[in-house]
Amino acid sequence: MISPVIVVHGGAWDIPNELVKGHLKGCREAALKGMEILKRGGKALDAVESSVNSMEDNDVFDAGVGSFLNAEGEVEMDAIIMDGGTLEFGAVAAVKNIKNPISLARAVMEKTEHVMLVGEGANKFAVKIGFKTCRTEDLIVRRELERFKEIKKKLKFETREVFTDEHLGTVGAVAMDLNGNLAAGTSTGGVPNKMPGRVGDTAIVGCGAYADNCSGAVSTTGWGESIMKVTLAKTTCMFLEEGFNAQEAAEKAVKHLEKRVGGYGGVIVVDSKGNIGLAYNTPRMAYAYIDGEGKLHLGV
Ligand code: ASP
């Protein structure tokens, strides 16, 4: 008998003490939402989508509502979802006016013959299928507007800085269902002050997420430009294939990110046997998981 498991993260960065509570609460809610589906016999894919939706709707995190603003004050988001049974995935990048980009990514997977849509094309697709859109203002929270104004006062702003001393909160989830199927998903508003059109690791398969029933499911967070160079999610799966356990694979992948390209970030993992792993080299990463015994764990 297979026991379902779920792991979620709320971003790898230097989460200040006053924001820890909100992050833990958001991660806890997201993990419980996903587990509710898994316990009823629902698919890992549905659980991952539901957990990520819950964090996209929570303005504490940098995904959906609460996303960072780009250099022009717009909100452009990236998301991916992947089914470990079929290796089907769907992704959207630099998409605007969408509250739940991961659900649009799933629609790309299920309703098109493509795997990824970006920018205007992704938004046109959303309208065509009657996907709920929103105004940019509906995605912007005061915290991010103030951050935008602060950044604009600075003479120089480097993306790398934000992963050591700024506030981020990309979200992601990985799950195993009662049938032993795996899924992974990740959703983000990206990084503050990014150039319009900038796409990070999140929506790129093998970078922001990867799921294969033969190895494991992985969702990543961190400095996208570094994560892409080492295809962090797929690299983590590769370590699983080499025989490392979920925790070892997570640690090895993050170490590789740091050593090879001086990157920052974190990963969450469920392997093909339902074992859980997580690692990060940022000061903190918010996470929650419910293990095979049904026990909830929270951490930052
Ligand atoms: N990886 C995301 C990006 O670079 C940001 C994050 O995970 O916080 O777009």
Side-chain angles (χ1 to χ4, degrees), residues 62 163 168-170 188 190-191 198 200-202 221-225 227:
D62 167 36
F163 293 94
L168 294 166
T170 287
T188 189
V191 291
R198 179 265 188 189
D201 59 307
T202 300
T221 171
W223 180 23
E225 280 74 8
I227 288 174

Side-chain angles (χ1 to χ4, degrees), residues 106-173:
R106 183 162 179 183
V108 170
M109 174 174 115
E110 291 176 344
K111 295 185 188 337
T112 78
E113 52 181 338
H114 307 303
V115 291
M116 186 175 195
L117 292 176
V118 305
E120 210 189 323
N123 278 99
K124 276 188 185 161
F125 167 65
V127 171
K128 193 173 152 205
I129 61 167
F131 194 91
K132 202 166 162 253
T133 55
C134 64
R135 300 170 310 162
T136 298
E137 303 88 272
D138 299 330
L139 298 168
I140 297 178
V141 295
R142 184 194 296 267
R143 177 193 73 221
E144 294 312 324
L145 212 50
E146 274 160 18
R147 191 197 312 277
F148 178 73
K149 286 182 194 150
E150 278 307 306
I151 290 173
K152 289 298 172 194
K153 279 191 216 150
K154 290 186 184 175
L155 287 177
K156 195 163 168 267
F157 180 81
E158 284 188 23
T159 300
R160 175 197 281 262
E161 287 172 20
V162 298
F163 293 94
T164 48
D165 57 22
E166 278 278 350
H167 307 169
L168 294 166
T170 287
V171 305

Side-chain angles (χ1 to χ4, degrees), residues 33-278:
K33 275 233 162 90
M35 185 47 87
E36 217 178 280
I37 291 175
L38 296 172
K39 271 197 198 148
R40 277 192 266 119
K43 291 201 284 189
L45 204 64
D46 293 327
V48 161
E49 184 182 1
S50 165
S51 291
V52 171
N53 282 164
S54 144
M55 292 189 281
E56 287 174 334
D57 292 341
N58 185 337
D59 66 18
V60 159
F61 301 110
D62 167 36
V65 181
S67 285
F68 290 129
L69 310 195
N70 72 10
E72 292 181 350
E74 249 300 345
V75 175
E76 289 185 340
M77 299 159 290
D78 308 330
I80 187 168
I81 190 160
M82 184 161 187
D83 182 340
T86 59
L87 301 193
E88 297 282 352
F89 78 93
V92 291
V95 71
K96 297 177 189 172
N97 308 108
I98 300 287
K99 274 195 175 153
N100 294 112
I102 196 155
S103 297
L104 187 60
R106 183 162 179 183
V108 170
M109 174 174 115
E110 291 176 344
K111 295 185 188 337
T112 78
E113 52 181 338
H114 307 303
V115 291
M116 186 175 195
L117 292 176
V118 305
E120 210 189 323
N123 278 99
K124 276 188 185 161
F125 167 65
V127 171
K128 193 173 152 205
I129 61 167
F131 194 91
K132 202 166 162 253
T133 55
C134 64
R135 300 170 310 162
T136 298
E137 303 88 272
D138 299 330
L139 298 168
I140 297 178
V141 295
R142 184 194 296 267
R143 177 193 73 221
E144 294 312 324
L145 212 50
E146 274 160 18
R147 191 197 312 277
F148 178 73
K149 286 182 194 150
E150 278 307 306
I151 290 173
K152 289 298 172 194
K153 279 191 216 150
K154 290 186 184 175
L155 287 177
K156 195 163 168 267
F157 180 81
E158 284 188 23
T159 300
R160 175 197 281 262
E161 287 172 20
V162 298
F163 293 94
T164 48
D165 57 22
E166 278 278 350
H167 307 169
L168 294 166
T170 287
V171 305
V174 292
M176 173 180 265
D177 62 30
L178 283 171
N179 294 318
N181 280 313
L182 297 173
T186 312
S187 182
T188 189
V191 291
N193 205 42
K194 63 186 181 181
M195 288 172 69
R198 179 265 188 189
V199 173
D201 59 307
T202 300
I204 309 298
V205 69
C207 298
Y210 200 76
D212 182 349
N213 284 1
C214 299
S215 53
V218 179
S219 169
T220 73
T221 171
W223 180 23
E225 280 74 8
S226 66
I227 288 174
M228 282 190 274
K229 288 175 189 159
V230 298
T231 56
L232 189 61
K234 180 70 174 131
T235 295
T236 311
C237 287
M238 197 192 73
F239 286 127
L240 292 172
E241 280 161 26
E242 285 175 12
F244 293 99
N245 69 33
Q247 184 55 31
E248 287 166 348
E251 286 170 13
K252 280 184 84 71
V254 171
K255 217 162 254 163
H256 178 66
L257 171 73
E258 187 172 315
K259 270 200 162 165
R260 188 65 183 91
V261 294
Y264 302 106
V267 300
I268 54 172
V269 185
V270 175
D271 72 14
S272 55
K273 294 184 199 81
N275 299 308
I276 290 164
L278 58 91

